[in-house]
Amino acid sequence: MKKVIIDCDPGHDDAIALLLAAKSDTIEIIGVTTVAGNSELYNTTRNARKILDYAGYEAIDVYAGCDRPMMRDLFRLTGAIIHGADGLGGPNIPAPTTPIKEEHAVDYLIQTLRNSDDRIILIVTGPMTNIAVALQKAPDIKDKIDRIIMMGGAVIEPGNITSAAEFNVFVDPEAAKIVINSGCELYLVSLDVSMKAVFKEDDIEKLRSQGDKISTTVASLLDFFAETHVKHFGFKACPIHDALCVGILIDESLVEFRKTYVDVPLHDPLTLGETVADLWEITGNMPNCHIAMKVNREKFVRMICEHMKK
Ligand code: RIB
Ligand code: CA
């Protein structure tokens, strides 16, 4: 079993990532940490608890983390437009019944990594604030991190917040820069593949036709997500960005990666939060990141459908 901690900001695609990991026979979620991003921390934490309780995973603990980026105010312009006022718009999923853990997510990450006999995989599907703060507070935890699989960035594709920047990196660029330069084994699942890892209308209908509780609820979540994408981006398809980070743990052939040097500019408003990859290897810097190059969309859609009905 692959032991993972999922750090997230649910968010529709985060919620599907949580369900995919929980339903996988090869992944053990040892804990979930939440961060402000798609919505305020209260909402992202409540949504993580809500989706896990709804799917019967009350035993997976949820820890609330940082309620804002390391150096900036929380970027609030688009979260509600894409994910709804409470961060998980669409079907009426009952309120959570399981309490949120008292310990701060950063302290939970540090203590769990330090005390674990095994190295742990961190799946990060929101702004990287919690991970960056944990690494700054306790650099020793790097030795217990097997790899970090992060949804973020855009290398060849344009950004989805500015022409240069993807949302998760843009919200907390300092945190992304710290993590990318941390020396941890990093897999960057960027818009270059996640904008191709989409559920189209017929895929949503196939999911709905499965008829079980989770499949029909996820189909309703995607109905909402598709509508907001039409309004905001002009296309009716759902990029399930975050679930791709889990998918590559279930089937590594899902995405092809290339190792290269990546860094994040912080000072020019035009390029703030960009993930610049040294594809022509002119910097002389050692590669620090596996960047995603290709994705098998059909295999991904099949994987999500098969797991949701489990
Ligand atoms: O840019 C896409 C990312 O931003 C996804 O993680 C989505 O959930 C939002 O957090
Ligand atoms: Ca997310």
Side-chain angles (χ1 to χ4, degrees), residues 9 13-14 38 83 125-126 151 160 166-168 191 241-242:
D9 64 336
D13 52 329
D14 304 76
N38 282 321
H83 296 277
T125 65
M151 192 282 134
N160 59 358
E166 176 278 329
F167 178 81
N168 288 337
L191 295 179
H241 308 281
D242 298 334

Side-chain angles (χ1 to χ4, degrees), residues 187-302:
Y187 288 81
L188 190 68
V189 180
S190 63
L191 295 179
D192 303 278
V193 290
S194 71
M195 288 305 282
K196 298 179 179 74
V198 296
F199 260 63
K200 298 175 182 173
E201 286 183 271
D202 55 346
D203 301 318
I204 297 174
E205 290 319 312
K206 176 182 184 311
L207 187 61
R208 198 185 329 270
S209 70
Q210 294 183 163
D212 61 280
K213 168 182 166 183
I214 297 302
S215 295
T216 48
T217 300
V218 170
S220 300
L221 284 169
L222 293 179
D223 290 338
F224 181 94
F225 206 39
E227 277 313 309
T228 61
H229 276 73
V230 171
K231 287 183 193 134
H232 192 66
F233 293 109
F235 63 78
K236 189 159 193 168
C238 297
I240 319 294
H241 308 281
D242 298 334
L244 208 43
C245 296
V246 176
I248 63 173
L249 279 182
I250 295 169
D251 179 347
E252 63 181 24
S253 71
L254 206 55
V255 174
E256 287 178 31
F257 288 92
R258 167 187 170 180
K259 193 155 189 184
T260 186
Y261 172 74
V262 173
D263 205 352
V264 179
L266 299 177
H267 305 296
D268 172 1
L270 205 55
T271 59
L272 176 68
E274 185 174 8
T275 42
V276 183
D278 182 21
L279 297 173
W280 296 105
E281 298 174 359
I282 58 165
T283 65
N285 294 322
M286 288 297 290
N288 57 1
C289 180
H290 301 266
I291 59 171
M293 306 301 283
K294 281 186 191 165
V295 61
N296 183 325
R297 187 194 82 85
E298 288 69 27
K299 187 182 276 191
F300 179 57
V301 169
R302 251 191 334 272

